[in-house]
């Protein structure tokens, strides 16, 4: 499918080991394969078995989804351990508990955006070893710009909401660091998984989410502990 698209082919010969013509592949065959691969990647990114259908039994459906839900549970526990490290800090300033989900949510969404672009680029061979550094730098720059913009916006909101100027500064810096980490994780994790011959569409999601949550909580709560208390 990649060769058909890259070289604008209508058909391609199939030969055996001796170079004798044994058949032909037409463009409709290649496009059918491409559609199947796209559908498979979409399902895998959601942690759903690509063979699942509405005709499956409850047990089959539950079994197919439970594996990646378990992985998500483990990664969520890892993020919760980071929060537990700063439990005393949160007890002393309840505003931190209110603002924490905002940092995590923004990081998770930013990481998913970058990861989706990266997984697609790997599948279409747009992202290769030769341009990985340039693409990574572009995504980090985008993450930094968005982090700065939304960090400043959130700083204004937090300043009016809680009336603590230093808290506004903390969430602004935490948002910047989280979105940079989300961009970095969203591009590097799919590349690393692909190098290990693991389907990035299948495994990237939980790892990217873990990176963004852990770094986001570390940045926000760590800065709060150092600056506010």
């Amino acid at each position: 499918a990649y060769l058909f698209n890259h070289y604008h082919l209508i058909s391609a010969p199939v030969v055996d080991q001796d170079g004798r013509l044994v058949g032909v592949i037409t463009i409709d065959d290649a496009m059918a394969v491409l559609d199947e691969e796209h559908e498979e990647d979409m399902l895998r990114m959601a942690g759903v078995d690509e063979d699942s259908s509405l005709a499956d039994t409850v047990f089959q459906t539950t079994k197919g989804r439970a594996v990646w839900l378990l992985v998500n549970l483990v990664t969520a526990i890892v993020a919760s351990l980071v929060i537990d490290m700063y439990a005393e800090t949160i007890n002393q300033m309840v505003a931190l508990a209110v603002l924490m989900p905002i940092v995590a949510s923004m990081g998770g969404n930013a990481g998913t955006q970058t990861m989706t672009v990266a997984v697609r680029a790997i599948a279409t061979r747009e992202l290769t070893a030769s341009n990985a550094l340039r693409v990574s730098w572009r995504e980090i720059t985008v993450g930094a710009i968005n982090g700065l913009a939304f960090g400043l916006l959130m700083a204004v909101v937090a300043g009016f909401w809680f009336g603590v100027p230093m808290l506004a500064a903390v969430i602004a810096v935490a948002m910047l660091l989280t979105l940079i980490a989300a961009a970095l994780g969203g591009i590097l994790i799919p590349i690393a998984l692909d190098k290990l011959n693991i389907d990035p569409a299948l495994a990237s999601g939980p790892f990217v989410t873990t990176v963004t949550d852990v770094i986001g909580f570390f940045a926000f709560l760590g800065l709060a502990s150092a600056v506010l208390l």
Side-chain angles (χ1 to χ4, degrees):
Y2 169 76
L3 292 174
F4 269 77
N5 183 54
H6 186 72
Y7 293 108
H8 307 290
L9 301 178
I10 301 300
S11 63
V14 180
V15 297
D16 62 17
Q17 290 181 342
D18 298 321
R20 292 174 298 192
L21 182 68
V22 295
V24 63
I25 298 175
T26 59
I27 191 170
D28 57 318
D29 298 322
M31 293 306 101
V33 170
L34 201 60
D35 287 342
E36 289 174 5
E37 289 296 320
H38 285 162
E39 181 181 356
E40 177 186 291
D41 284 350
M42 288 178 62
L43 291 170
R44 284 185 166 188
M45 288 180 70
V48 178
D49 188 349
E50 65 267 24
D51 295 324
S52 63
S53 71
L54 294 179
D56 290 344
T57 65
V58 171
F59 177 76
Q60 289 173 320
T61 304
T62 302
K63 181 182 177 182
R65 298 180 187 180
V67 174
W68 286 103
L69 287 175
L70 178 60
V71 174
N72 281 320
L73 177 61
V74 173
T75 57
I77 291 172
V78 172
S80 297
L81 291 174
V82 176
I83 297 173
D84 187 58
M85 291 171 57
Y86 295 98
E88 188 61 32
T89 302
I90 297 171
N91 286 335
Q92 294 182 51
M93 180 171 278
V94 179
L96 298 177
V98 176
L99 296 174
M100 260 193 324
I102 298 175
V103 176
S105 176
M106 289 295 290
N109 283 325
T112 300
Q113 288 176 338
T114 305
M115 179 193 72
T116 303
V117 171
V119 169
R120 179 187 176 278
I122 290 171
T124 59
R125 303 189 188 181
E126 294 179 68
L127 180 56
T128 62
S130 61
N131 66 359
L133 185 61
R134 178 179 59 82
V135 174
S136 297
W137 179 250
R138 188 199 71 166
E139 291 298 328
I140 291 170
T141 304
V142 171
I145 294 171
N146 279 333
L148 182 61
F150 287 103
L152 291 173
L153 177 61
M154 196 57 220
V156 173
V157 173
F160 279 107
W161 194 348
F162 297 102
V164 182
M166 289 307 296
L167 176 61
V170 164
I171 195 168
V173 175
M175 193 80 77
L176 173 62
L177 295 175
T178 301
L179 264 65
I180 291 175
L184 194 58
I187 191 76
L188 293 184
I189 289 174
I191 290 175
L193 291 172
D194 186 55
K195 292 294 182 183
L196 295 171
N197 293 320
I198 300 172
D199 189 349
L202 177 63
S204 293
F207 293 114
V208 171
T209 302
T210 302
V211 167
T212 57
D213 284 351
V214 169
I215 292 180
F217 291 143
F218 259 129
F220 184 51
L221 297 176
L223 286 170
S225 297
V227 174
L228 298 176
L229 303 178

Short mmCIF file of all heavy atoms in Angstrom, two decimals, residues 172-197:
data_model
loop_
_atom_site.label_atom_id
_atom_site.label_comp_id
_atom_site.label_asym_id
_atom_site.label_seq_id
_atom_site.Cartn_x
_atom_site.Cartn_y
_atom_site.Cartn_z
N ALA A 172 1.67 28.29 36.28
CA ALA A 172 2.13 28.70 34.95
C ALA A 172 3.39 27.92 34.55
O ALA A 172 3.49 27.38 33.44
CB ALA A 172 2.40 30.20 34.92
N VAL A 173 4.36 27.84 35.47
CA VAL A 173 5.60 27.12 35.19
C VAL A 173 5.32 25.62 35.04
O VAL A 173 5.87 24.95 34.15
CB VAL A 173 6.64 27.37 36.30
CG1 VAL A 173 7.88 26.51 36.07
CG2 VAL A 173 7.02 28.84 36.35
N ALA A 174 4.45 25.08 35.91
CA ALA A 174 4.11 23.66 35.85
C ALA A 174 3.44 23.32 34.53
O ALA A 174 3.72 22.26 33.92
CB ALA A 174 3.20 23.29 37.01
N MET A 175 2.57 24.20 34.04
CA MET A 175 1.89 23.96 32.76
C MET A 175 2.90 23.96 31.62
O MET A 175 2.83 23.12 30.71
CB MET A 175 0.84 25.05 32.52
CG MET A 175 -0.12 24.74 31.39
SD MET A 175 -1.45 23.61 31.87
CE MET A 175 -2.51 24.72 32.80
N LEU A 176 3.86 24.88 31.67
CA LEU A 176 4.89 24.94 30.63
C LEU A 176 5.71 23.65 30.61
O LEU A 176 5.91 23.04 29.54
CB LEU A 176 5.80 26.14 30.89
CG LEU A 176 7.05 26.26 30.00
CD1 LEU A 176 6.65 26.42 28.54
CD2 LEU A 176 7.93 27.43 30.46
N LEU A 177 6.18 23.22 31.77
CA LEU A 177 7.00 22.00 31.85
C LEU A 177 6.21 20.76 31.45
O LEU A 177 6.73 19.87 30.77
CB LEU A 177 7.53 21.83 33.28
CG LEU A 177 8.51 22.91 33.77
CD1 LEU A 177 8.87 22.66 35.24
CD2 LEU A 177 9.76 22.93 32.91
N THR A 178 4.94 20.71 31.84
CA THR A 178 4.11 19.54 31.53
C THR A 178 3.86 19.41 30.04
O THR A 178 3.93 18.30 29.48
CB THR A 178 2.77 19.62 32.28
OG1 THR A 178 3.01 19.70 33.68
CG2 THR A 178 1.90 18.41 31.99
N LEU A 179 3.55 20.51 29.37
CA LEU A 179 3.27 20.44 27.94
C LEU A 179 4.54 20.15 27.12
O LEU A 179 4.46 19.51 26.07
CB LEU A 179 2.58 21.71 27.46
CG LEU A 179 1.04 21.59 27.39
CD1 LEU A 179 0.47 21.38 28.80
CD2 LEU A 179 0.41 22.81 26.75
N ILE A 180 5.69 20.61 27.60
CA ILE A 180 6.95 20.24 26.93
C ILE A 180 7.19 18.74 27.10
O ILE A 180 7.56 18.05 26.15
CB ILE A 180 8.13 21.05 27.51
CG1 ILE A 180 8.00 22.53 27.11
CG2 ILE A 180 9.46 20.49 27.03
CD1 ILE A 180 9.05 23.42 27.75
N ALA A 181 6.99 18.24 28.32
CA ALA A 181 7.17 16.80 28.57
C ALA A 181 6.17 15.97 27.78
O ALA A 181 6.51 14.89 27.27
CB ALA A 181 7.00 16.52 30.07
N ALA A 182 4.95 16.47 27.63
CA ALA A 182 3.93 15.76 26.86
C ALA A 182 4.34 15.65 25.40
O ALA A 182 4.18 14.59 24.77
CB ALA A 182 2.59 16.48 26.99
N ALA A 183 4.86 16.75 24.86
CA ALA A 183 5.31 16.73 23.46
C ALA A 183 6.49 15.77 23.29
O ALA A 183 6.53 15.00 22.32
CB ALA A 183 5.70 18.14 23.03
N LEU A 184 7.42 15.81 24.23
CA LEU A 184 8.60 14.95 24.15
C LEU A 184 8.20 13.48 24.27
O LEU A 184 8.65 12.63 23.49
CB LEU A 184 9.58 15.33 25.26
CG LEU A 184 11.01 14.78 25.15
CD1 LEU A 184 11.65 15.22 23.86
CD2 LEU A 184 11.84 15.24 26.34
N GLY A 185 7.34 13.16 25.24
CA GLY A 185 6.88 11.79 25.41
C GLY A 185 6.04 11.31 24.24
O GLY A 185 6.16 10.17 23.79
N GLY A 186 5.21 12.21 23.72
CA GLY A 186 4.32 11.84 22.61
C GLY A 186 5.06 11.49 21.33
O GLY A 186 4.55 10.71 20.52
N ILE A 187 6.26 12.05 21.15
CA ILE A 187 7.03 11.75 19.94
C ILE A 187 8.06 10.65 20.17
O ILE A 187 8.26 9.77 19.34
CB ILE A 187 7.71 13.03 19.39
CG1 ILE A 187 8.28 12.76 17.98
CG2 ILE A 187 8.80 13.52 20.31
CD1 ILE A 187 7.28 12.73 16.91
N LEU A 188 8.72 10.66 21.34
CA LEU A 188 9.81 9.72 21.58
C LEU A 188 9.31 8.31 21.92
O LEU A 188 9.94 7.32 21.54
CB LEU A 188 10.72 10.23 22.70
CG LEU A 188 11.54 11.49 22.38
CD1 LEU A 188 12.46 11.82 23.54
CD2 LEU A 188 12.35 11.31 21.10
N ILE A 189 8.22 8.21 22.64
CA ILE A 189 7.72 6.89 23.03
C ILE A 189 7.28 6.06 21.81
O ILE A 189 7.67 4.90 21.68
CB ILE A 189 6.58 7.01 24.07
CG1 ILE A 189 7.18 7.46 25.41
CG2 ILE A 189 5.84 5.69 24.25
CD1 ILE A 189 6.16 7.76 26.48
N PRO A 190 6.49 6.61 20.87
CA PRO A 190 6.17 5.83 19.67
C PRO A 190 7.41 5.44 18.86
O PRO A 190 7.48 4.33 18.34
CB PRO A 190 5.26 6.77 18.86
CG PRO A 190 4.65 7.66 19.88
CD PRO A 190 5.72 7.87 20.91
N ILE A 191 8.39 6.35 18.76
CA ILE A 191 9.62 6.03 18.03
C ILE A 191 10.36 4.89 18.71
O ILE A 191 10.83 3.94 18.05
CB ILE A 191 10.54 7.28 17.94
CG1 ILE A 191 9.91 8.33 17.01
CG2 ILE A 191 11.92 6.89 17.42
CD1 ILE A 191 10.67 9.63 16.96
N ALA A 192 10.47 4.95 20.04
CA ALA A 192 11.18 3.90 20.79
C ALA A 192 10.48 2.56 20.65
O ALA A 192 11.12 1.52 20.45
CB ALA A 192 11.30 4.30 22.26
N LEU A 193 9.15 2.55 20.75
CA LEU A 193 8.40 1.31 20.62
C LEU A 193 8.55 0.72 19.22
O LEU A 193 8.67 -0.50 19.06
CB LEU A 193 6.92 1.56 20.93
CG LEU A 193 6.59 1.87 22.39
CD1 LEU A 193 5.13 2.29 22.52
CD2 LEU A 193 6.87 0.67 23.29
N ASP A 194 8.55 1.58 18.21
CA ASP A 194 8.72 1.11 16.85
C ASP A 194 10.10 0.47 16.67
O ASP A 194 10.24 -0.55 15.99
CB ASP A 194 8.55 2.28 15.87
CG ASP A 194 8.58 1.83 14.41
OD1 ASP A 194 7.78 0.95 14.05
OD2 ASP A 194 9.41 2.37 13.65
N LYS A 195 11.13 1.06 17.28
CA LYS A 195 12.48 0.50 17.21
C LYS A 195 12.54 -0.87 17.88
O LYS A 195 13.34 -1.73 17.50
CB LYS A 195 13.48 1.45 17.87
CG LYS A 195 13.70 2.75 17.12
CD LYS A 195 14.35 2.51 15.77
CE LYS A 195 14.61 3.83 15.06
NZ LYS A 195 15.19 3.61 13.70
N LEU A 196 11.71 -1.08 18.90
CA LEU A 196 11.68 -2.36 19.62
C LEU A 196 10.72 -3.36 18.97
O LEU A 196 10.44 -4.41 19.54
CB LEU A 196 11.25 -2.12 21.07
CG LEU A 196 12.21 -1.29 21.93
CD1 LEU A 196 11.57 -0.95 23.28
CD2 LEU A 196 13.54 -2.02 22.13
N ASN A 197 10.21 -2.99 17.78
CA ASN A 197 9.27 -3.84 17.04
C ASN A 197 7.97 -4.08 17.80
O ASN A 197 7.36 -5.15 17.71
CB ASN A 197 9.92 -5.18 16.67
CG ASN A 197 11.04 -5.02 15.65
OD1 ASN A 197 10.92 -4.23 14.72
ND2 ASN A 197 12.12 -5.74 15.84
#
